[in-house]
Amino acid sequence: MAMRFSENADRMDVRYVAGLARIALSDAEAARLQGQLDDILAFVGELKKLDVSGVEVTDVATEAQNAWRADVPIAGLEREATLANAPLARHGQFVVPKVIE
Amino acid sequence: MSADLHDLGFLEVAEALTQKRASSEELTMALLARSEELESKLNSLTWFNREAVLAEARAADAARAAGDNRPYLGVPIAIKDLLNVKGQPCTAGSRILKGYVAPYDATVIARLRAAGCVFVSRTNTDEFAMGGSTETSAYGTTRNPWDTDRVPGGSSGGSAAAVAARLAPAALASDTGGSIRQPAAFCGVTGLKPTYGRVSRYGCTAFASSLDQIGPIARSVEDATAVYQVIAGLDPHDSTTAARPVDDCLPNVRAARDLKGLKLGLPKEYFVDGLHPEVEQLTRAAVAQCRALGAEIVDVELPHSKYGIACYYVLAPAEASANLARYDGVRYGFRAEAEDLQEMYEQTRAQGFGAEVKRRVILGTYVLSSGFHDAYYLRAQKVRTLIRRDFDRVFARCDAILGPVTPSPAFRVGEKTADPVQMYLGDIFTANVNLAGICGLSVPCGFTTGGLPAGLHIIGPAFADARILQIGAAYQHATEWHKQQPKI
Amino acid sequence: MNDFIASIGLEVHVQLKTRTKLFCAFPAHEEGDPNVAVCPVCLGLPGAMPVMNGEAIRQTVKTGLMIGSRIALRSTFDRKNYFYPDMPKNFQISQQAAPLCLGGAVEIDVGGQPKTIRVNHIHQEEDAAKITHLENSSEIDFNRASTPLMELVTEPDMASPDEAMAFLIALKEMLIYAGISDCNLELGQVRCDVNSSVRPAGTDLLGVKCEIKNMNTFKGIHRALTYELARQVEVLRSGGMLVQETRRWDDEAGVTLPMRSKEYAHDYRYFPEPDLPPVVLDAATVEAWRAELPELPAVKRARFIRDYGLPEYDVGVLTADQALAEFFEAAAQQSKNCKAVSNWVMGELLRALGEQGLGIADAKITPRALAALIALVDAKTINMPAAKEVFQVLFEKGGDPAAVVKEKGLAQVSDAGAIDGFAERAIAANEKVAAEFRGGKETALMFLVGQVMKLSRGKANPQLAAEALRRKLRG
Ligand SMILES: [Mg+2]
Ligand SMILES: [Zn+2]
């Protein structure tokens, strides 16, 4: 099961992608991840060898369709329960540090 | 009698309670005592319902005394720390959910609760179910009861180890790429990954929503069937559950004695270089046993299975990158101190997530990102179709497929943590089943010379869960592997 | 501006009028205390899953049917990924690959110039929570999270702020008419992203597009567009280059300003929502929904002109409110005098409703009674002042006009003998005026008619009275 990976696999811009995912990385972490992710990308890059032209995608895995709900309201969570896990709450609202646009 | 109570399986406990040979309180006390004795060696539980569990057990005993005769009233069960139980912590093995208390019941929990079960403990898991060894949990590595230097498998390693070590008669677990079947195989217990859409995922902390499925880990196929019967079926809270009825298959499973009239496929792709020779030999012996029980064994091909892991490691991280975006420190869970919102997001997630989760979230973000989406994500969706079609072709002529669950027996703690790809390859026989949305069962099929369990994989078409349970039950009726106990 | 052509496209987000949210059974449009209308789903708790509100699908499809969209028989949902604290899951469930409605168009009219504004598609998505920015922090209320929205995306077919305004007004009218949304702008039920570009006259290629985000008043959109188009022209005239960017409207300063955003802000990483099965519609369902549609205001207006011979002004007033139009039509169908029905509805009925702050449903008068009342006037059974008196009774108490006339003794006196008697008494009492008429002063007759009316206590048929007076005076 030893895998050989192609030399010309994609290299990921780890810092950019981590930014998209909102994860701060230390330099050491970024370097370690770069190597591991390069390996993984080379591995999953094996998919590129398959001819998939004309193959439809599997987008939704269930056989179910529609599964609609009637438009009838029911009671929600108590506000105490809603806010119980909040790291910071004030005036019945969730509070976050200031947003810099 | 109480010294042996922890040895009883799920249905044996139910019977002992019904026949009033034991009380739920006694049973729970026995499990509590055993957990306290063994957990320092195993670390299979993240939380034990110490304060409330005895009260719940006593309430169940009182209800039974008052004439309540629900068959599973007072039966203790362990729950993977990924499933929400109202009022209990739910950490998903992550620091980011430390201290989080679930305000609602998962549907499977509500159904077990309605059946009278008592939620005795929460079992350790790889962080957000991402891992094959239960080494990525923020709450420490779980050990394999057969050899505590080895991993129990993952991500449901806590559930498998706890059931194997007799800390609970059965446990709920979840399987996204093999996370029920692989630890069941490593720990010598029985694990069912039901067909996608058969069991509600509502209240199961999502990893990869198109692949996740909740199922039981138990000491026998009969026990697994009993739990499966309670949790399966259409759920208005999970739109992906199927509207098909769930037949009561427990009587047939209990009566299963042979495999006459069944045609079972043996995929040549599942017996390749790299398959551990002892695992291969144990699997082939199990196949021979099935033949002896009357099954016709035929060679089949699953030509795209070799792409399964690559496909899985595109699709699962992609879905996970979105599912885990909600852990941001705003509404619940861990929040890092920060001056502004962006910093709070980035630090909360940097400090709250472990290395494996970060790796997969970043990978998943990448394969969906502009410029790479088509080359990775879209392509993997098409490969998924090819993998499904492989199974469709085989199931057109076979009732089920047999094979190994894992390419090797349980490996040593730390052996694969530095090499993610090697770790990912552990899912090679299991992930395809999730990609195809079909059902798979792992039953113990013997031990290596080193005393490590191996599992026989019984794969069935979509909604043939009852059929693979019957096959597994017939096999277990003819064998003793599932009755072996680890000496810890 | 004449040497430049503007192209404006709108992305209109409309809150649908459902009782519950899009993906959970908790009340939508909740006002009041924050975070009281939430559940595990719209709070994005671990393990929570969306369940589709079928009513939202129905309303979005009906909107598509109203504007002539092609309805997708298989439609799917996608996750749109971006981090913002008003989005509980940090992704929005929306539709990208296969939206519910494709194509369509809305007819507008600016200064008598009809124009067709094409619609690219309509998709279904969930609303975000409400966020209040304070100096050092922000507060979040999730009551609004997951309220059903439909997003209607136009082609860049509007060439002026007036056209954009006309489009929004026409759309709003349609949606209110069909009960799809209340379109209450104050409550933020309609919000727009406004895309605009300019290009030199005589060229075909669209200019560089700027997007103004999150506009919630039509007047603001008009002002912002007026400013923005002038800004873009000014940049180009002075030899500058426009960059594609997102801007925001500062209403107080009356300017648009660029929004600072990180370079990766727009990588939404769409992928299919695994927790929602596809929406699969069959033709029969779509046709059943089509049958529920009301007649569109524009179509109704044309029909009222054609079928009832009404002037455009009347039609405008009558069709502004669907219930009013229905009332008119029911009365007109039972009357031989459609214009009179229109006059009564626009005049007395709207006045009476307005005075008491009532809706048409509160009025006790039925369309049949109004038609009967008009018939009494036309038959000269009662005169106009009496008719208004009867109307007031019918409006407040209901009933049959003939009965009211009888009860109140309001029937006109048309008996020749009686009128002759009144005429003779009027002439005798006003010899001087009678002499003036005989002397050729035609207007003097009106005074004498008035006297006859007075003597008859308003019941004399005024035309018969005038005839009798002429006969007697000339006689
Ligand atoms: Mg939108
Ligand atoms: Zn909700």
Side-chain angles (χ1 to χ4, degrees), chain B residues 326-359:
Chain B
R326 71 191 61 195
Y327 307 104
D328 59 2
V330 174
R331 284 144 297 123
Y332 46 80
F334 169 75
R335 171 190 287 195
E337 288 300 316
E339 289 292 303
D340 68 72
L341 181 76
Q342 284 306 322
E343 190 194 348
M344 184 194 92
Y345 280 157
E346 297 197 344
Q347 286 301 328
T348 295
R349 293 163 64 79
Q351 296 169 37
F353 289 147
E356 181 62 27
V357 168
K358 288 182 202 175
R359 193 151 52 226

Side-chain angles (χ1 to χ4, degrees), chain B residues 107-108 111 200-202 233-242, chain C residues 51:
Chain B
T107 296
V108 290
R111 290 188 179 177
S200 168
R201 292 177 289 117
Y202 182 73
L234 182 68
D235 176 18
H237 290 295
D238 176 354
S239 308
T240 66
T241 50
Chain C
V51 181

Side-chain angles (χ1 to χ4, degrees), chain B residues 174-191:
Chain B
S174 70
D175 189 316
T176 306
S179 282
I180 288 175
R181 292 158 290 160
Q182 184 249 27
F186 278 9
C187 293
V189 289
T190 300

Side-chain angles (χ1 to χ4, degrees), chain C residues 21 24 26 38-39 41-42:
Chain C
K21 295 185 175 188
C24 59
F26 296 92
V38 297
C39 76
V41 178
C42 53

